Amino acid sequence: MQEETISPQEILALYTSGPDILQAALAGLSEVDLDACCATGEWTIRQIVHHLADGDDVWSMCIKVALGAPGSTFSFDWYPGNEPWGVRFNYAAREVGPALDLLRAHRLHVIQLLESLPDGWGRSVTVAAPYQPEQEEMTVGTIVGLMARHVEQHVEQIQQIRAKNGR
Ligand code: NI
């Protein structure tokens, strides 16, 4: 996996810059532009932003469980999947401002926690998710890496949508 070739410092730098990278990818877009997408059925830019904020929202709690109660099991049994979640939380129609603020707050909060807990990076939880057959032990570092790349990957998607729509 790519993860092994990237140092914790690089992961943390990417995680830290995520909100700025996302904000930059949205620069100059109108409310109408945010509803642009690539193909019918794919998410709009607006929906992607809400998906990113919710991803960090859920996984930040998982990070806090790993830091505060290492060795616990964090379950995603309740999670219906990205698409149903997006429908339930009306990703298609909500303004993105509060979601961007939430993403930034989560990252600042987690970074502050990691600075105050020098061994925090290696603490872990067991993650139980319906989409994977076996439970998986995940360290905080692994989860931070997932979140860092999650924003990066969806920012590429946003850039592709912008390019396709000439925005
Ligand atoms: Ni995603």
Side-chain angles (χ1 to χ4, degrees), residues 5-153:
T5 63
I6 298 179
S7 71
Q9 289 75 18
E10 286 170 313
I11 293 172
L12 208 50
L14 183 60
Y15 180 80
T16 303
S17 62
D20 287 338
I21 292 171
L22 179 57
Q23 207 105 38
L26 302 176
L29 292 178
S30 68
E31 286 297 313
V32 171
D33 294 334
L34 288 173
D35 292 323
C37 64
C38 265
T40 309
E42 287 183 20
W43 271 350
T44 62
I45 294 173
R46 183 187 304 281
Q47 287 169 303
I48 293 167
V49 172
H50 287 299
H51 166 68
L52 287 172
D54 273 2
D56 261 55
D57 196 24
V58 170
W59 284 98
S60 292
M61 182 51 70
C62 186
I63 289 171
K64 291 184 80 170
V65 171
L67 291 173
S72 299
T73 297
F74 190 88
S75 173
F76 281 95
D77 283 352
W78 49 272
Y79 192 65
N82 295 335
E83 296 289 336
W85 203 245
V87 172
R88 291 178 195 184
F89 285 96
N90 206 9
Y91 285 1
R94 286 164 43 222
E95 286 186 23
V96 297
L100 292 169
D101 290 344
L102 182 66
L103 179 74
R104 190 173 293 277
H106 276 311
R107 301 241 162 161
L108 291 171
H109 183 66
V110 167
I111 290 160
Q112 184 198 46
L113 286 174
L114 288 173
E115 283 169 354
S116 71
L117 300 166
D119 70 333
W121 193 257
R123 295 188 194 178
S124 64
V125 279
T126 298
V127 174
Y131 53 80
Q132 54 188 24
E134 290 182 15
Q135 297 188 345
E136 184 184 3
E137 189 178 343
M138 294 178 80
T139 65
V140 169
T142 298
I143 299 168
V144 168
L146 284 176
M147 292 297 91
R149 278 188 291 275
H150 192 223
V151 167
E152 190 182 41
Q153 288 157 0

